[in-house]
Amino acid sequence: MSDLLIQAEALRARLTRPGCLVFDVRHQLSDHQAGRRAYEAGHIPGALFLDHETQLSAPRTGHNGRHPLPDRAEFVALLRAQGLTARSEVVVYDADNSMFAAHLWWMLRWVGHEAVSVLDGGWAAWQASGGAVETGTRTASVSEAQAVQSLGLSGKPSMPVVDARAVLANLDEPRFTVVDARGPDRFSGAVEPMGPVAGHIPGAINRPFALNVLADGHFKPSAQLRQEFESLLGERLDHGIVHQCGSGITACHNVFAMELAGLRGSALYPGSWSEWCSDASRPVAKGNA
């Protein structure tokens, strides 16, 4: 389908190649220890675990969202400590629907590492394919030579971002369309289980990230994704797309799906709804229109 995605059977072959680095990012927003427990109970051989709350997010201030982006230099240092070099072929996976895997895919691209794929269908697909299982905890073993090689990371962002000020300015002088990846009930403001304010950014349109995958967690065919995004966005595609969600995680799923569809170049608002609604002066819309 695309080098953005890798199937379980192909990953088995890749694991035998030097330079393959696999990250397990299983996680539950309702239970922050669930991912690590799942990893220790069984993971792809050689995979390293990264935690979305403690390693892939910066400290929360109450005004920067639930999963603020980490400092770029600190994130690159974390990747180096895991053994990432400029020549690494990275594969990321989560439980099944790539909700968290797509986030780490985006973050790796954000710091300039292009050779990263998402395991289609995640851990569930690996198990279904009969892939080997390793238990316990594995830590990276990084030689001095690897650490030097890792300096080859460009550090140049290939994934554009916008901040809350840009989104606010866009309300008066529209230059891009905001696409909200949350479910329809959260988008409309009918419910808000994760934060203090319900609703959405005025002018945003809704594309729940779950629409990008089939019932088994595998991504829809790229042609189908392209048709769906083109049908939703129409001429807006020519004027800039910015993705957001609750805290910047599932928005990356829509970025990834659009890349699969050959629709490249959309941006991310990392703070997303949890940052937006932390300031009462920012307007809130409700309903599905």
Side-chain angles (χ1 to χ4, degrees):
M1 176 184 272
S2 165
D3 57 3
L4 294 171
L5 277 178
I6 187 170
Q7 304 303 316
E9 296 78 6
L11 177 56
R12 284 207 295 272
R14 185 178 292 188
L15 288 178
T16 64
R17 301 208 304 250
C20 180
L21 187 59
V22 181
F23 289 122
D24 182 318
V25 288
R26 282 176 283 177
H27 189 54
Q28 288 184 18
L29 295 175
S30 60
D31 181 353
H32 294 171
Q33 299 305 311
R36 185 173 293 278
R37 290 197 304 269
Y39 170 80
E40 292 175 353
H43 54 264
I44 294 172
L48 301 172
F49 181 76
L50 289 177
D51 185 274
H52 259 83
E53 304 297 326
T54 61
Q55 294 175 296
L56 301 182
S57 298
R60 302 175 184 85
T61 65
H63 298 284
N64 61 351
R66 285 194 308 278
H67 295 99
L69 284 178
D71 175 81
R72 284 173 52 80
E74 291 179 2
F75 180 54
V76 169
L78 170 68
L79 296 173
R80 290 172 178 164
Q82 306 305 309
L84 184 76
T85 76
R87 294 193 291 271
S88 296
E89 292 183 314
V90 180
V91 176
V92 294
Y93 74 93
D94 57 25
D96 48 26
N97 67 8
S98 301
M99 168 180 172
F100 298 103
H103 186 228
L104 181 55
W105 165 85
W106 185 92
M107 293 179 71
L108 282 157
R109 293 277 300 273
W110 173 57
V111 294
H113 193 79
E114 298 286 334
V116 52
S117 303
V118 169
L119 174 59
D120 199 15
W123 174 244
W126 180 259
Q127 289 184 299
S129 75
V133 175
E134 181 177 77
T135 60
T137 299
R138 176 182 284 266
T139 56
S141 176
V142 185
S143 68
E144 182 178 351
Q146 283 178 308
V148 171
Q149 290 172 9
S150 71
L151 296 177
L153 283 172
S154 71
K156 297 178 181 178
S158 60
M159 308 301 279
V161 298
V162 300
D163 59 17
R165 288 177 296 179
V167 176
L168 186 62
N170 191 64
L171 299 182
D172 294 327
E173 297 184 19
R175 297 185 178 183
F176 52 79
T177 298
V178 175
V179 178
D180 191 323
R182 295 176 299 163
D185 286 349
R186 290 183 69 192
F187 177 81
S188 70
V191 298
E192 180 45 64
M194 304 297 291
V197 179
H200 61 264
I201 296 170
I205 60 177
N206 192 208
R207 166 72 182 188
F209 83 95
L211 295 179
N212 299 325
V213 295
L214 303 168
D216 62 0
H218 287 76
F219 279 88
K220 292 177 178 177
S222 57
Q224 182 178 351
L225 287 170
R226 187 180 186 98
Q227 187 279 323
E228 291 179 6
F229 277 106
E230 288 180 338
S231 177
L232 174 70
L233 298 171
E235 294 182 356
R236 297 182 181 94
L237 284 168
D238 299 326
H239 304 289
I241 302 298
V242 171
H243 295 281
Q244 55 96 187
C245 55
S247 64
I249 290 179
T250 58
C252 296
H253 203 278
N254 275 348
V255 178
F256 184 83
M258 286 190 68
E259 291 257 338
L260 277 179
L263 302 170
R264 298 179 176 87
S266 56
L268 177 72
Y269 168 32
S272 286
W273 180 249
S274 55
E275 179 187 56
W276 182 264
C277 73
S278 69
D279 185 337
S281 71
R282 298 181 187 132
V284 172
K286 293 193 176 184
N288 291 311

